[in-house]
Amino acid sequence: MSFGKGLSRKPSQPKGRQLEDAALAEVRNLLGDEPRRRDLLIEHLHKFQDAYGCLEARHMRALAAEMRLSQAEIYEVASFYHHFDIVREDETKPAPVTVRVCDSIACSLKGADELAAALESGVDPKNVRIQKVPCIGRCASAPAVQVGKRAVDNASEMSVRATLFEGSVDPVIPEYTKLDAYKSAGGYNVLERIRSGELAAADIADMALAAGLRGLGGAGFPTGTKWKIVNDLPGPKYLTINGDEGEPGTFKDRYHLESDPHRLLEGALVAAHAISADRVYLYMRDEYPAVLEILKTEIAALRAAGIITSIDIELRRGAGAYICGEESAMIESIEGKRGLPRHRPPFIAQVGLFGRPTLNHNVETLFWIRDIVEKGPEWFAEQGRRGHKGFRSFSVSGRVKEPGVKLAPAGITMNELLNEFCGGMEEGHSFKGYLPGGASGGILPASLADEPLDFGTLDKHGCFIGSHAIVVFSDQDDMRDAALNLMRFFKHESCGQCTPCRSGTDKMEQLLANGDWDKNKIADLDAVMRSASICGLGQAASNPVASVLKFFSEEF
């Protein structure tokens, strides 16, 4: 596969783009002593994107030679991820500063499209590039913008221009609990009990089961059961942590990691010891630069303090691909490949990272391990309502007075969450409906706001709780526009591997954009996408559309 116009060559040279000595020297200088392993390809691509503002063709050619990969392999990976800018010899580099304006559902409700248009008309494209991008995980402060890596919350044209004028492009690191403070409050005592043999792996798994702890990234699979399955398999084994929370409306993991990162890190090390894992791989989305800095700093602190011993934690950086929230796609990305979901079976518990048994967890799941061991599984189980167990971190945004992460009981209703935790609706707005589980969880009307919010409780309505991302709509919002916004997101983020998802999201978006809400057409397309797509993206992408047809017929 070629990826651009090659340089002229001598008759003694092979065909294709020629290797430049200067480019090879720059590649070697930037990589330094880093291993040239295939699984580090995306990490190495980030180094060039950061250093040069793009991926120049000459560097990609040199990187292929240095890593002993084909140019086609380098290109197919780089071109898959949104945060890499490939520049051929005859093309202009991107502007030195990129302003990313989130246009996902919560920010769209707060005027993101108008903001992006205003910014576009008033900047010099040679100096500043304006991009409309999917969710950047700051929904509670919509509309949200990133200037370089600097977040601008509740953004306005004036505040974004002020940030540009100041040249503020680096992330602001929030105050958080560092290692010494965490240890002084009893942190890592649970890990030491595991290492000393006071607590056995089976004990921790049983505690998780008794507590009712489940996978809190969306699937809701019982945590203790996962541990027992992987623990019984032969090594080497790995633990992966999926911090790529790209589901529109979701920002709970960012909240926890920007305030108390060691609860995750201790939970990860406990889980890794419980299954006898050889290594922990923590995959974090690139849209969270402050979190990446925090984790890099604190993992280094754990090594320096001797808390990380035989099982190390390796931080991996995503590159802007929602599909990598799917566990097998994330594993492909960690291996340095395109984030294409795998066919199952086999499941990753059996054949996962590098072909070995793998335990995968969401950030929030591991966040609760310390509390469950210290306070007892009964404590956690008793926190729910209506027979449901535990706490849930609800990411709440949209038309509420007090958006944010709300630590609330599992089984709480939407009306209770709205009034007890969010201060009710914004002034002048009446409650109309809500996303219970982010973009893919469907849309429920206000008349169904007394349903318990937990795994399985919304299935009868064609919806699900997923990542517990709540986006609230009011009487001033058009649900057809909301469904179109969500479908455009899925079209943009489809990995393209399977036809039902790739073509289905495209066709569905065309229908909605043209105002064609023909029930029969939509039902046929919906059925194909649900039954034939490889992964959950294509299977659930039409949920919002089906919900609008089912619950908001007055819109038509």
Side-chain angles (χ1 to χ4, degrees):
M1 180 185 294
S2 171
F3 57 91
K5 182 180 177 182
L7 301 176
S8 59
R9 67 183 178 92
K10 298 176 182 179
S12 60
Q13 294 174 322
K15 290 183 178 181
R17 176 172 282 107
Q18 301 304 306
L19 176 62
E20 298 179 36
D21 291 339
L24 183 59
E26 289 169 348
V27 165
R28 288 173 174 171
N29 179 64
L30 195 57
L31 296 187
D33 295 331
E34 291 286 330
R36 271 56 167 172
R37 299 194 316 265
R38 169 59 196 262
D39 64 287
L40 292 173
L41 174 57
I42 293 171
E43 296 298 307
H44 294 341
L45 290 173
H46 272 304
K47 289 180 172 64
F48 288 91
Q49 181 72 37
D50 292 343
Y52 294 92
C54 63
L55 302 179
E56 297 183 53
R58 64 192 187 95
H59 286 142
M60 294 173 68
R61 171 66 182 90
L63 184 62
E66 185 68 7
M67 296 188 70
R68 301 193 176 191
L69 296 171
S70 70
Q71 294 183 64
E73 289 176 283
I74 303 288
Y75 177 79
E76 74 171 8
V77 172
S79 61
F80 182 86
Y81 296 93
H82 301 313
H83 287 193
F84 294 137
D85 296 303
I86 298 173
V87 176
R88 298 172 176 83
E89 289 88 354
D90 55 353
E91 293 180 339
T92 303
K93 292 184 180 181
V97 177
T98 296
V99 175
R100 292 186 169 97
V101 182
C102 175
D103 67 352
S104 285
I105 187 65
C107 288
S108 180
L109 294 177
K110 300 290 186 173
D113 295 326
E114 294 79 8
L115 174 60
L119 292 171
E120 280 273 14
S121 64
V123 298
D124 183 350
K126 294 180 181 179
N127 299 320
V128 178
R129 174 175 61 166
I130 308 296
Q131 286 186 334
K132 292 171 71 174
V133 299
C135 188
I136 60 174
R138 308 192 74 88
C139 318
S141 51
V145 171
Q146 278 189 345
V147 178
K149 296 182 180 181
R150 174 67 61 92
V152 182
D153 293 333
N154 302 302
S156 66
E157 183 181 358
M158 183 176 295
S159 64
V160 174
R161 293 194 189 283
T163 304
L164 285 168
F165 179 78
E166 294 165 2
S168 305
V169 296
D170 295 323
V172 175
I173 308 302
E175 291 294 323
Y176 66 91
T177 303
K178 296 180 174 62
L179 177 58
D180 288 344
Y182 184 76
K183 285 183 64 181
S184 67
Y188 292 101
N189 287 344
V190 172
L191 177 62
E192 288 306 312
R193 291 172 65 189
I194 287 271
R195 287 175 171 168
S196 69
E198 181 185 343
L199 283 174
D203 295 337
I204 303 290
D206 288 338
M207 287 183 184
L209 284 170
L213 183 64
R214 306 176 72 168
L216 297 174
F221 194 83
T223 299
T225 301
K226 290 175 72 171
W227 288 20
K228 291 187 176 186
I229 290 171
V230 179
N231 185 57
D232 290 341
L233 295 171
K237 294 177 279 192
Y238 300 105
L239 168 65
T240 56
I241 304 168
N242 198 332
D244 199 62
E245 59 170 2
E247 186 77 23
T250 312
F251 48 94
K252 61 187 177 70
D253 293 348
R254 178 181 65 80
Y255 169 83
H256 289 307
L257 292 173
E258 287 184 346
S259 57
D260 198 0
H262 284 283
R263 283 193 182 271
L264 163 72
L265 296 173
E266 181 172 14
L269 290 171
V270 168
H273 279 83
I275 65 164
S276 300
D278 289 66
R279 200 172 190 85
V280 177
Y281 287 85
L282 204 175
Y283 189 87
M284 184 53 54
R285 68 187 313 223
D286 197 37
E287 290 85 348
Y288 290 173
V291 170
L292 284 162
E293 286 298 319
I294 290 170
L295 290 173
K296 181 179 178 181
T297 299
E298 297 309 312
I299 291 171
L302 288 175
R303 293 190 185 115
I307 294 173
I308 285 180
T309 54
S310 59
I311 302 175
D312 201 0
I313 300 176
E314 188 165 334
L315 180 62
R316 291 298 180 89
R317 180 178 167 190
Y322 165 75
I323 192 62
C324 290
E326 198 276 339
E327 61 182 13
S328 66
M330 177 202 65
I331 284 174
E332 291 287 301
S333 189
I334 292 173
E335 292 180 355
K337 305 171 186 174
R338 296 175 294 167
L340 300 178
R342 298 176 179 178
H343 291 270
R344 289 173 288 187
F347 296 93
I348 69 164
Q350 301 164 304
V351 183
L353 185 62
F354 307 126
R356 301 306 307 167
T358 301
L359 173 66
N360 182 59
H361 272 311
N362 167 260
V363 168
E364 189 191 356
T365 306
L366 295 172
F367 186 86
W368 288 113
I369 297 299
R370 176 187 166 186
D371 281 331
I372 289 172
V373 174
E374 289 183 342
K375 299 178 181 179
E378 298 81 8
W379 166 82
F380 186 81
E382 291 169 356
Q383 303 305 318
R385 295 184 184 178
R386 301 175 179 86
H388 299 271
K389 295 182 178 182
F391 284 116
R392 298 289 185 267
S393 298
F394 290 91
S395 306
V396 184
S397 61
R399 306 296 192 180
V400 298
K401 284 183 180 177
E402 300 169 13
V405 173
K406 309 298 179 180
L407 196 61
I412 194 172
T413 69
M414 185 61 230
N415 276 329
E416 291 169 343
L417 186 65
L418 178 63
N419 295 307
E420 295 177 28
F421 291 84
C422 303
M425 296 292 292
E426 288 181 340
E427 294 297 330
H429 291 262
S430 298
F431 185 25
K432 181 178 183 178
Y434 63 105
L435 297 179
S440 56
I443 309 175
L444 289 172
S447 60
L448 292 176
D450 288 322
E451 292 283 356
L453 298 176
D454 202 6
F455 297 106
T457 61
L458 306 177
D459 293 359
K460 59 189 175 184
H461 302 300
C463 296
F464 55 80
I465 195 66
S467 61
H468 294 76
I470 309 289
V471 182
V472 177
F473 301 104
S474 79
D475 56 338
Q476 298 184 27
D477 300 316
D478 189 320
M479 306 314 293
R480 293 169 299 177
D481 291 342
L484 176 58
N485 176 284
L486 299 171
M487 187 52 63
R488 282 177 172 158
F489 167 79
F490 289 122
K491 174 186 172 181
H492 183 266
E493 293 300 321
S494 173
C495 74
Q497 180 178 194
C498 66
T499 302
C501 177
R502 181 184 66 248
S503 298
T505 53
D506 178 63
K507 181 62 176 178
M508 188 76 82
E509 188 269 342
Q510 289 181 35
L511 290 174
L512 304 189
N514 293 329
D516 186 355
W517 283 78
D518 183 277
K519 291 184 178 180
N520 292 327
K521 291 180 184 177
I522 289 174
D524 285 346
L525 195 54
D526 182 10
V528 172
M529 292 168 66
R530 287 183 190 277
S531 62
S533 294
I534 291 174
C535 79
L537 192 157
Q539 294 163 9
S542 56
N543 279 346
V545 180
S547 295
V548 171
L549 287 171
K550 182 176 181 180
F551 297 119
F552 300 94
S553 58
E554 69 276 5
E555 300 275 334
F556 304 95

